Amino acid sequence: LSETHTIADSDTVFTIEEDFAEEFAGIEVDDSDGVASNGKIGVATTSQKHFRFLNDAINSASDLPGEKRSSKREQMLRAVFKALTQYSTPSSCQDFVESNLDDVLLPACLYGVSRGTTSSEQYAGCRCLEALSILLGGDRDAYYEVIEEPLKKAVRATGRAHLVRGAALRALCLSAFICGTDESATHNLLDLCELMCAEKYRGQEMHPTLRATSLYCWALLSTTINDADLAGEDDGGRGVAILPLLRECLDHESSIELRSAAGECATMIHEARLGLMNEADGRVCGNSTERRFRQGSWDGSSSEVLMDELKQRVSELSCESGHHMSKKAKKEQRSTFREFTSTLVDDEPPIEIVNFRGGKLTLTSWREIIQLEFIRNCLQGGFQAQLMTNPTLLYIFGADANVLGGSSALSQLEKRLLMSKTSDAAKAADIDMTRKRRSRQNAKNYFITADGDDV
């Protein structure tokens, strides 16, 4: 698989209610099919159209284990992924997914992961399992237990493509994050992520992309751990233990993604360390100087020197130059590491704003940003639609669906009906203007005629 391989066919973004329904001109349809039959034109509503796509994808997936062609099985899994992420927004669609989970979706996805003959098919199966965890929501330990062993085998299999192993790890960690409730399972996955982000695993060199994916997964699971367990040295914090590994990853020469993942983990650990002072004092310190030299800083700790080296390296990467990187890569790296530097060096909180049609979602901590980016990467084109309708995502980010989905502006259908050149209002204005122009011209002609007769 190439480094840019993806399961999505396009980057098309679907909103909760598309601005205009699909028209089927000249087709007689029945009311039971969800289309209004007025004898002329039947117009399907958005939710009904989405349900048809979802139903077709799940019905085709029921035949996947019996399909002999790998390309056909991959095509089925791609259709399932698109249906799950982009067409499963209404509650009725989510209920339909749940009703077909044990009999159709899980067997099809696990078949692709465990018995797929090509890397692209295995990758597609992992991505479908990742999307399923978001639709199912929390308190789904039974789902996690079913997919745990097949995905762990895929992660540990050194003979598989690194993108497949990374996709399996992402699906496993996101399922534990959303569906799982067992804290010990979370810590076991953190151990697995730390093994996968090492330089070698079972005597083989680890691919930088897989190492970066492991760090992203480690960061996601670490958002469920309190600040003391993550950044407290007295309690043996997990974040403090991997600081040497993060320092090594920041020095990697070829992989920008690995350096970015390490910088993100270091920034989140530093933010958790700063959070210890707020928990101890019961308040938030006012400025960066006060935050830096109060309880919770790295000054005087055993990790002070190592953390200073991390800060220095992140600062260097935020302004790195040279001919060994393309202009696009340098611009991307500088932009990413400037955000890390703001928190690591200046102790300033981050700000991430996601704009929606009816409002915006503002995130002010690295924990929330890491969770958002991980889920955005999973859902791709269906991210905004799911975030406005999925109760689990609304709960995680503390969002209000009525605010995000509402809109005081005109939709595209209303703009087409009211503001288009072919709208009734535009035609009426054109007729009125033509009438006025004709009246003015007649008045001029009447003035210049000698006998007073109208022209």
Side-chain angles (χ1 to χ4, degrees):
L1 297 180
S2 65
E3 293 296 330
T4 58
H5 180 80
T6 179
I7 189 176
D9 295 330
S10 65
D11 294 331
T12 304
V13 177
F14 289 85
T15 56
I16 177 176
E17 292 183 7
E18 292 186 49
D19 293 314
F20 55 90
E22 184 176 354
E23 297 182 354
F24 301 90
I27 299 178
E28 294 281 348
V29 289
D30 187 65
D31 288 335
S32 60
D33 192 31
V35 184
S37 67
N38 53 11
K40 295 181 180 180
I41 299 176
V43 180
T45 64
T46 302
S47 60
Q48 293 160 349
K49 181 180 66 173
H50 286 186
F51 184 80
R52 279 202 299 271
F53 286 135
L54 178 64
N55 186 37
D56 293 343
I58 292 180
N59 287 338
S60 64
S62 62
D63 301 328
L64 187 144
E67 177 60 46
K68 296 182 179 180
R69 293 172 294 176
S70 177
S71 59
K72 184 66 175 179
R73 294 195 299 269
E74 180 189 351
Q75 183 180 357
M76 293 176 180
L77 291 172
R78 284 176 175 268
V80 169
F81 178 81
K82 187 173 184 179
L84 292 176
T85 55
Q86 299 183 1
Y87 301 129
S88 301
T89 50
S91 58
S92 59
C93 292
Q94 294 177 352
D95 295 339
F96 182 69
V97 168
E98 187 173 351
S99 64
N100 289 274
L101 178 65
D102 296 328
D103 297 332
V104 179
L105 291 174
L106 273 179
C109 296
L110 293 176
Y111 186 94
V113 173
S114 303
R115 304 179 63 182
T117 56
T118 62
S119 298
S120 57
E121 181 185 352
Q122 298 166 8
Y123 178 85
C126 295
R127 293 302 304 276
C128 289
L129 291 175
E130 186 180 2
L132 268 174
S133 63
I134 297 178
L135 292 178
L136 295 177
D139 297 333
R140 296 281 184 168
D141 289 312
Y143 171 76
Y144 177 75
E145 291 172 359
V146 171
I147 68 173
E148 180 181 13
E149 285 305 318
L151 289 179
K152 281 187 175 180
K153 289 181 180 179
V155 173
R156 297 191 181 105
T158 57
R160 297 202 182 194
H162 65 274
L163 288 181
V164 174
R165 299 172 67 186
L169 185 59
R170 288 183 63 91
L172 193 60
C173 293
L174 187 60
S175 300
F177 173 73
I178 293 181
C179 303
T181 59
D182 188 3
E183 186 176 352
S184 62
T186 300
H187 285 281
N188 291 335
L189 283 181
L190 285 170
D191 294 336
L192 179 61
C193 292
E194 292 171 5
L195 288 175
M196 291 296 108
C197 64
E199 283 191 87
K200 291 186 177 182
Y201 177 72
R202 293 181 176 177
Q204 295 188 7
E205 294 284 342
M206 295 293 290
H207 196 280
T209 302
L210 179 56
R211 296 181 67 189
T213 302
S214 303
L215 287 178
Y216 286 130
C217 293
W218 186 94
L220 175 70
L221 295 176
S222 296
T223 60
T224 63
I225 303 176
N226 59 50
D227 293 340
D229 293 336
L230 184 62
E233 289 186 306
D234 296 337
D235 301 326
R238 273 191 170 272
V240 178
I242 71 164
L243 287 179
L245 175 63
L246 299 181
R247 180 68 178 88
E248 182 269 323
C249 292
L250 286 172
D251 289 333
H252 198 276
E253 297 180 356
S254 60
S255 178
I256 299 178
E257 187 177 8
L258 179 57
R259 293 197 294 266
S260 299
E264 185 177 80
C265 292
T267 305
M268 187 185 67
I269 295 169
H270 181 70
E271 182 185 59
R273 183 77 175 189
L274 296 178
L276 294 178
M277 73 177 72
N278 300 332
E279 294 176 2
D281 296 347
R283 66 187 183 90
V284 178
C285 298
N287 53 46
S288 60
T289 302
E290 186 179 1
R291 287 193 297 269
R292 190 174 301 169
F293 293 103
R294 290 183 67 88
Q295 180 182 2
S297 70
W298 299 97
D299 297 321
S301 66
S302 59
S303 303
E304 179 182 2
V305 176
L306 180 56
M307 202 64 197
D308 288 341
E309 293 177 356
L310 284 170
K311 293 179 181 180
Q312 179 64 30
R313 180 55 179 159
V314 170
S315 299
E316 292 173 356
L317 292 172
S318 66
C319 56
E320 186 177 19
S321 182
H323 298 289
H324 64 286
M325 298 171 60
S326 65
K327 290 184 178 180
K328 181 179 179 181
K330 283 187 290 187
K331 182 178 180 180
E332 180 182 354
Q333 177 176 288
R334 289 173 182 176
S335 175
T336 301
F337 279 88
R338 280 170 187 163
E339 297 176 0
F340 299 155
T341 304
S342 177
T343 300
L344 271 173
V345 179
D346 300 329
D347 297 337
E348 296 295 338
I351 298 178
E352 178 81 11
I353 299 176
V354 184
N355 293 312
F356 292 86
R357 185 171 57 186
K360 59 183 180 181
L361 179 64
T362 304
L363 307 178
T364 57
S365 72
W366 282 105
R367 289 177 181 262
E368 294 176 328
I369 293 175
I370 288 170
Q371 293 169 0
L372 181 80
E373 291 298 328
F374 204 98
I375 293 174
R376 193 207 303 267
N377 184 275
C378 169
L379 296 175
Q380 297 186 350
F383 167 71
Q384 286 204 351
Q386 287 291 338
L387 187 54
M388 288 189 292
T389 58
N390 191 298
T392 302
L393 298 184
L394 292 172
Y395 173 77
I396 291 175
F397 299 109
D400 187 352
N402 296 326
V403 175
L404 298 181
S407 177
S408 58
L410 296 177
S411 65
Q412 289 189 10
L413 176 60
E414 292 170 333
K415 290 179 182 178
R416 187 175 66 178
L417 294 176
L418 301 177
M419 302 176 65
S420 172
K421 293 182 179 180
T422 59
S423 65
D424 293 339
K427 291 178 181 178
D430 182 70
I431 294 174
D432 183 63
M433 184 62 69
T434 302
R435 186 182 297 110
K436 290 180 179 179
R437 189 183 299 111
R438 185 182 296 113
S439 298
R440 289 196 302 268
Q441 188 65 32
N442 288 341
K444 293 179 182 179
N445 293 336
Y446 179 80
F447 177 77
I448 64 176
T449 54
D451 53 0
D453 296 336
D454 294 342
V455 179

